[in-house]
Amino acid sequence: MSKTIIDTSKMSEGQRAALEMAEDSRDTREISGFAGPLFLGEADFSRIAPFPAQSAKDKEEGDVFLKKLSDYLENHTDPDEIDRTGEIPDQVFKDLGEMGAFGIKIPKEYGGLGLSQTNYSRAAMILGAHCGNLTALLSAHQSIGVPQPLIVFGTEEQKKEYLPIFAKGGVSAFALTEEKVGSDPAKMETTATPTEDGEHFILNGEKLWCTNGLKACHIVVMAKTATPEKPYATTAFIVDVDWPGVEIVTRCHFMGLKALYNGVIRFTNVKIPRKNIVHQEGKGLKVALTTLNTGRLTLPAACAGLLKRCLDISLRWSSTREQWGAPIAKHAAIAGKIADLAADAFATEAMVLYVSALVDRDKKADIRIEAAMAKLWGTEAGWHGIDQTMQIKGGRGYETADSLKNRGEVPDPIERLMRDSRINTIFEGSTEIMKLFIAREALDPHLRRGAAAIDTRKPMSERIPAALKAGMHYSLWFPTRYIPFAKGIPSDMHPDLAKNLKMVAKWSRKLSRALFLAMAMNGPKLEKRQLLLGRYVDIAAELFAMSCACSQADFLLKSKDKEAENALSTVNYLCSRGDTRIETHFREAKDTKSEKSGYKLTQALTKNS
């Protein structure tokens, strides 16, 4: 999983390039925070409790905008009409622009609202419960479009030139994906070649699935800027769609998000000034990955809103719909689904608010694992939640809102919400890619310590001392992973919540032992055990969700918040369910027989297809 221990001599040129690009673009800081140490058996609950609640001042500032946004969405937008026509009305673009919805996080000095990450996440929750198309429009623009990269990496001149445009309602987009490029940018074919005087670059290529591309005034475009030293280097450029050579080839249409302004964009000899480089030449992938760390929070935030709406729909229906002499909520099969909805909604929101608070406290906070876990766990929970909501409502869930309304029934748009939300486990890093990303970061502390010892390319004179040093460390470290200890649990925490966190600590210690033994047994080949690593990541994500939920519940109980009434029972259920899930993951991790036979089957099938 690291270029420091993998023998690249047997790799193809493309494999080596992909590995080098990934490693060169990584955040090289040592893992910190709360989530990463879960893989090391070092759960420190003082990092997560007391819960970093939003300040009264920040909440009040956000409430003003959120009230405007919520009222406008409710009274002046029709998500079913948007879905039906595949278009967002021009008036909606105008109105959202005037209220500042395109500049939520843009600092006030550049014309934006200057709201916090927490308030932005709260806005995403409102949007996620209402309309997937509007969520995608505003999210793609602000999370991965031009504003976020400029806020993080832009020069003062770039900020002054472009941010006011977006604050007033200008739409932006992000262009990375190509026909042969998904999560592997080493295959990128779009190029930007410097002119002889070095003042401009000439951009050529074609980008696929550029969300907002049909409505954008400016796009962040990723292009290969090869040099002899780094033939696969990429650079991020700000491109004006009105420049000569920028062409929208076609609009793409999908299963859901019918009004997604997504298309294929071609660049033919587009002349870009050097001043339009974002960050540095050759650092484009770092811009993309850093932007995504924060941008990924939008998706679980939207899923938290979706899950709350699913819970509301399911509670209303199951308390009034009677079968076999009782409301269906009284039947265990339905009650279990509703409990899952409640637990998932609570945990997803807790994760989003926690990670958002980290960003608000320190713009340079290392949230790469926390954000990835929130995205992974929250989007999977969102998809499961809408699927179970459809199951609860049965035929009425499968029926369109228009058809329900025509028959005089409550037009719950479950069918639309399902179609629109399916993309969430794919957008901005699929579930599978998230697991590989988290696994790579989780292994990093061990790789830093023991890479030289297992690197067969190094001479024994280097490997033996490294092995002895690592051996001394792990001979002391490994036994301590058996010591029952939970650090940082507040002394005044509710006993049930404290008990849950002690369980988290127990599982974290077992996870650390399992991961270490997997490394010892597999060595560099561990990077190919993706199913095994995926199960370990699922365990850690479950522990992170449980921890955030416990801390949030503790805060609600102590503040006597109106949401505290069911918080304790919700979190107790979440942790009981998590305990069972983690047991299952560990059991499945030992099942190498089916893992190997499944892989062999697939290779045989692909060979003969």
Side-chain angles (χ1 to χ4, degrees), residues 21 185 188 222-225 232-236 280-285:
M21 287 185 71
M188 187 181 298
M222 303 294 296
K224 186 181 295 183
T225 50
Y232 293 96
T234 63
T235 301
Q280 299 174 20
E281 184 178 348
K283 297 293 185 179
L285 190 56

Side-chain angles (χ1 to χ4, degrees), residues 116-132:
S116 64
Q117 177 65 40
T118 297
N119 284 323
Y120 176 75
S121 295
R122 293 171 66 203
M125 292 179 198
I126 292 172
L127 287 160
H130 183 71
C131 177

Side-chain angles (χ1 to χ4, degrees), residues 342 346 557 562-572:
F346 191 94
L557 289 170
K562 61 181 180 180
E563 297 182 20
E565 182 179 356
N566 296 310
L568 185 61
S569 55
T570 299
V571 173
N572 281 340

Side-chain angles (χ1 to χ4, degrees), residues 95-113:
D95 294 342
L96 289 174
E98 289 178 352
M99 78 168 65
F102 288 94
I104 297 174
K105 292 195 295 179
I106 293 177
K108 293 179 181 178
E109 59 262 39
Y110 304 112
L113 298 181

Side-chain angles (χ1 to χ4, degrees), residues 67-123:
K67 179 70 165 56
K68 290 180 182 178
L69 177 64
S70 182
D71 289 347
Y72 180 80
L73 294 175
E74 184 67 28
N75 299 314
H76 299 285
T77 64
D78 184 346
D80 293 310
E81 177 69 14
I82 291 173
D83 177 73
R84 193 182 311 119
T85 62
E87 299 291 343
I88 298 171
D90 290 341
Q91 187 63 43
V92 173
F93 276 93
K94 182 176 182 295
D95 294 342
L96 289 174
E98 289 178 352
M99 78 168 65
F102 288 94
I104 297 174
K105 292 195 295 179
I106 293 177
K108 293 179 181 178
E109 59 262 39
Y110 304 112
L113 298 181
L115 295 181
S116 64
Q117 177 65 40
T118 297
N119 284 323
Y120 176 75
S121 295
R122 293 171 66 203

Side-chain angles (χ1 to χ4, degrees), residues 144-258:
I144 58 174
V146 182
Q148 185 65 20
L150 284 192
I151 290 172
V152 178
F153 294 106
T155 64
E156 186 60 27
E157 290 74 20
Q158 289 173 334
K159 292 177 181 179
K160 287 180 178 179
E161 180 176 358
Y162 293 107
L163 291 182
I165 296 173
F166 306 124
K168 295 176 182 177
V171 180
S172 69
F174 177 78
L176 169 64
T177 305
E178 299 178 9
E179 184 177 345
K180 296 180 181 180
V181 178
S183 299
D184 181 6
K187 294 183 178 180
M188 187 181 298
E189 296 179 351
T190 297
T191 61
T193 307
T195 55
E196 290 186 7
D197 61 10
E199 294 300 314
H200 294 80
F201 286 79
I202 304 301
L203 178 68
N204 284 282
E206 190 171 280
K207 295 295 185 178
L208 174 66
W209 296 331
C210 183
T211 299
N212 286 356
L214 279 71
K215 292 288 185 179
C217 56
H218 296 85
I219 305 173
V220 172
V221 180
M222 303 294 296
K224 186 181 295 183
T225 50
T227 64
E229 298 79 18
K230 293 188 176 182
Y232 293 96
T234 63
T235 301
F237 297 91
I238 303 172
V239 174
D240 188 323
V241 298
D242 289 332
W243 284 346
V246 180
E247 174 192 1
I248 297 174
V249 179
T250 186
R251 181 176 181 177
C252 302
H253 299 276
F254 304 93
M255 178 181 87
L257 299 178
K258 298 298 185 180

